[in-house]
Amino acid sequence: MPIDPERSAHVYEACRLTDHLFVFNPYLPQQNFYSQQLRALALAAEITDRHLAPGHRSVCIVGAGVAGRTIAAAFRSLGAGVTIVDKEIVDFSHYRNATHRELHPNIIFWPFQEPTPATELPFMNWAQAPVTEVVEAMKKEWEEGFAKHVAFIHAEVDHIDRTATPIEITLADAKRTVLKADICVLATGFAAERQFGNLQTPPYWSPSSIIESGGEIMVSGSGDGGLIDALSPILGKDVTKAAHILAARLSKKPMKADVKAIEDERRARVVPGTKDSHDLCPFYSAVHLEDEDAEEIRPFIKRSPAPAVTLLHESNSAYSFSAAPINKLLLSHFSNGPSACVTHVKGSLRTVDNRATMVPDAGGSECIEPPTTRFAKVMVRHGAPPAAVRILDDADLARLGELSFEHLDAAILPGYDSAKYGWTRKGVGKAAISMKVLVDSLERSLDSISRAYDLDFSNVRLTRMNIEGEPIKVNLPPADTKRAESFDLFPLMVGPVLVELGEPDTTRGIDYED
């Protein structure tokens, strides 16, 4: 699906500090792997069109995470010379043990997008899987397709002189190395999560953060991290899968239009400088799933009865504007009616007598620090500050906050125009990704989907015609076909290739020579 050029321009404006210095705006809502990749492609295209004239096409990317590598690949495919600077020696170190967190490309964008378990990117594709598998797939494609085309420096950035032409990036190494580039993009992501005093809880990506205790649970925070952690004692690691199935069902019902209208209304009432909305949102507080929809979620419930969960929120509503609608619907289901096991408390965490204390707005207080607390586990999900705070000053951060409010359309991108970055027999643009890299990426994504939804893709055979535009045919057993239809999986885009149900052609293979 081609991207709306106006949305692409909003990404550019939301991330621009100067014509030579850009920052992946940490204050935009709905941050996930896929949204960052889509913003990366949009930003690279806009910067290239506006600023990278022949002879002036050097780009320095600070940060080698998902956004950093995607925009580096994008600039390289458009013919720019690219250098990445990152202080980490271990790739994607935050996620290396996070087998408990399953990623989904676009479930947070529902109902504005239909849920799909695979990305539709020109490169660096992945499919629904534990985050450890996703980053391994991205690392493998990077190493095989892009690493030799991009300079990589392991160092920390100390200072950026944006007044210099070209821009100068000073490294915090022994030589105080100065890099020069026509464009610098900060893709540094977020620093360590905010904690509260002595109440140290496991980071979101830590395996010990999964809530498996059968006792009462408390979660502080109403962003997606807080909502997912409030749901995890009930649904375990299957929160993502339950969300996909529920979204697929509701997409065929009037509730999809209702949720879209509500989110559009709340968008108009965003509190400037925050990710909150003035709207208290009585819709989510009162909505109920139909029995047949609730029945689809029931198999994922890990305990009966479900454990009691207290969700503490400072936002105007537990259903905060910044959280994904589908997560709010799941929270609503377990907060209202016969399935209710989550209690909402509007209030804050404070230190009382040197101990972490829950202080409701309605009055009263309760110590939540062990050993006196009634909660078996307490999770603090108050977000994380932008890592770029080391490089940027307060005025820069304030400006990025203003830009995120002025350009909210940068938050949701429907896809990207394949004419900009086309997969061809000769590779992707000037990046020259080999046929083998393309095929391996497709096969990894199909394997992830088959495991995520317990489907048999063993008879799938890729042919050269698939890579050049002919759909991949998947012939599933009857039981798997029925399951796939209930998930609304097909037709499915995996990268730029369409996957359909049907008889596969096994007569042609792939010639890996390029």
Side-chain angles (χ1 to χ4, degrees):
M1 179 188 298
I3 189 173
D4 182 343
E6 291 188 6
R7 288 187 183 272
S8 181
H10 278 297
V11 173
Y12 171 87
E13 295 295 348
C15 299
R16 183 174 70 92
L17 284 180
T18 75
D19 284 348
H20 306 285
L21 179 61
F22 295 82
V23 183
F24 275 88
N25 196 318
Y27 302 116
L28 285 170
Q30 293 182 304
Q31 303 263 7
N32 77 342
F33 277 33
Y34 193 36
S35 69
Q36 290 290 70
Q37 289 181 283
L38 288 172
R39 292 169 196 171
L41 295 179
L43 185 58
E46 290 287 336
I47 291 174
T48 300
D49 288 345
R50 299 181 191 218
H51 301 293
L52 293 184
H56 297 278
R57 302 175 70 84
S58 61
V59 180
C60 179
I61 310 297
V62 182
V66 174
R69 295 201 189 212
T70 303
I71 198 168
F75 276 124
R76 183 68 190 94
S77 73
L78 290 171
V82 182
T83 298
I84 292 180
V85 179
D86 192 282
K87 65 179 181 179
E88 299 292 338
I89 301 299
V90 178
D91 291 338
F92 302 107
S93 57
H94 292 315
Y95 315 114
R96 61 179 179 268
N97 296 317
T99 56
H100 63 298
R101 299 292 188 190
E102 187 167 84
L103 298 184
H104 187 287
N106 71 338
I107 194 64
I108 67 169
F109 297 142
W110 183 90
F112 300 95
Q113 294 181 27
E114 293 306 307
T116 176
T119 58
E120 303 178 24
L121 303 174
F123 35 70
M124 304 293 280
N125 276 291
W126 52 277
Q128 182 176 340
V131 65
T132 48
E133 294 183 20
V134 172
V135 296
E136 280 303 313
M138 296 182 72
K139 280 172 57 179
K140 190 170 182 61
E141 182 172 341
W142 174 266
E143 290 163 1
E144 294 177 351
F146 289 100
K148 62 184 177 183
H149 300 287
V150 175
F152 203 114
I153 299 173
H154 288 292
E156 192 165 8
V157 171
D158 182 69
H159 175 70
I160 296 176
D161 184 354
R162 68 190 75 180
T163 65
T165 304
I167 197 167
E168 295 184 351
I169 302 99
T170 302
L171 306 184
D173 58 6
K175 296 181 179 180
R176 300 286 294 172
T177 304
V178 176
L179 306 177
K180 296 185 179 183
D182 296 310
I183 296 290
C184 180
V185 181
L186 301 188
T188 47
F190 297 89
E193 291 178 53
R194 296 180 178 93
Q195 294 288 340
F196 186 84
N198 295 324
L199 191 67
Q200 298 293 308
T201 59
Y204 185 79
W205 299 111
S206 167
S208 58
S209 70
I210 192 69
I211 301 175
E212 297 177 330
S213 171
E216 289 188 65
I217 308 297
M218 178 191 162
V219 178
S220 179
S222 56
D224 279 313
L227 267 56
I228 289 172
D229 275 356
L231 293 166
S232 68
I234 308 163
L235 300 172
K237 299 178 183 179
D238 290 325
V239 175
T240 300
K241 192 178 296 184
H244 182 124
I245 292 171
L246 180 60
R249 289 190 63 87
L250 296 181
S251 288
K252 301 178 178 67
K253 298 189 174 185
M255 189 179 288
K256 176 185 175 182
D258 294 341
V259 172
K260 191 172 183 179
I262 289 296
E263 293 297 325
D264 281 337
E265 285 179 18
R266 299 187 80 192
R267 184 188 189 88
R269 302 177 187 175
V270 172
V271 181
T274 75
K275 294 180 181 179
D276 201 7
S277 172
H278 288 294
D279 189 352
L280 296 179
C281 207
F283 171 82
Y284 289 109
S285 299
V287 69
H288 290 277
L289 297 179
E290 295 180 6
D291 289 344
E292 60 181 9
D293 300 327
E295 196 61 33
E296 292 292 328
I297 300 172
R298 195 178 308 281
F300 299 113
I301 297 176
K302 303 305 178 186
R303 301 181 188 87
S304 184
V309 179
T310 295
L311 178 64
L312 177 66
H313 59 97
E314 288 189 328
S315 56
N316 288 326
S317 166
Y319 307 102
S320 68
F321 170 74
S322 63
I326 195 63
N327 288 335
K328 288 183 282 197
L329 282 176
L330 282 171
L331 177 67
S332 175
H333 176 66
F334 292 108
S335 302
N336 310 323
S339 298
C341 58
V342 181
T343 301
H344 305 172
V345 177
K346 186 175 184 330
S348 60
L349 287 184
R350 299 182 193 173
T351 301
V352 178
D353 296 330
N354 294 319
R355 300 183 71 79
T357 303
M358 176 171 64
V359 182
D361 287 2
S365 63
E366 180 179 353
C367 177
I368 59 169
E369 272 194 40
T372 58
T373 180
R374 63 187 163 98
F375 298 113
K377 197 161 190 175
V378 176
M379 303 299 286
V380 177
R381 292 289 173 248
H382 291 176
V389 69
R390 283 196 66 260
I391 305 170
L392 303 177
D393 58 28
D394 291 343
D396 291 330
L397 295 173
R399 180 58 182 153
L400 289 171
E402 294 169 358
L403 291 173
S404 70
F405 179 70
E406 293 171 12
H407 300 282
L408 272 177
D409 280 341
I412 301 177
L413 300 178
Y416 207 81
D417 189 344
S418 60
K420 288 273 188 181
Y421 304 96
W423 284 35
T424 69
R425 182 70 177 85
K426 295 182 179 180
V428 181
K430 298 180 181 179
I433 298 177
S434 72
M435 180 67 74
K436 186 177 188 306
V437 172
L438 303 185
V439 172
D440 286 349
S441 175
L442 283 170
E443 289 181 337
R444 281 193 295 269
S445 290
L446 288 170
D447 180 63
S448 293
I449 296 166
S450 69
R451 285 184 285 111
Y453 292 92
D454 194 23
L455 301 171
D456 181 5
F457 284 2
S458 61
N459 68 351
V460 174
R461 297 292 183 271
L462 296 177
T463 74
R464 183 180 299 111
M465 298 301 291
N466 298 140
I467 303 301
E468 295 174 350
E470 189 173 289
I472 298 172
K473 299 291 185 179
V474 177
N475 184 16
L476 297 176
D480 282 4
T481 298
K482 186 175 181 180
R483 187 181 302 111
E485 289 172 347
S486 71
F487 302 151
D488 204 20
L489 289 183
F490 297 99
L492 169 67
M493 290 298 296
V494 179
V497 180
L498 181 65
V499 183
E500 299 176 334
L501 290 175
E503 289 290 339
D505 182 351
T506 60
T507 63
R508 294 171 294 183
I510 289 283
D511 177 4
Y512 286 128
E513 269 188 44
D514 292 294

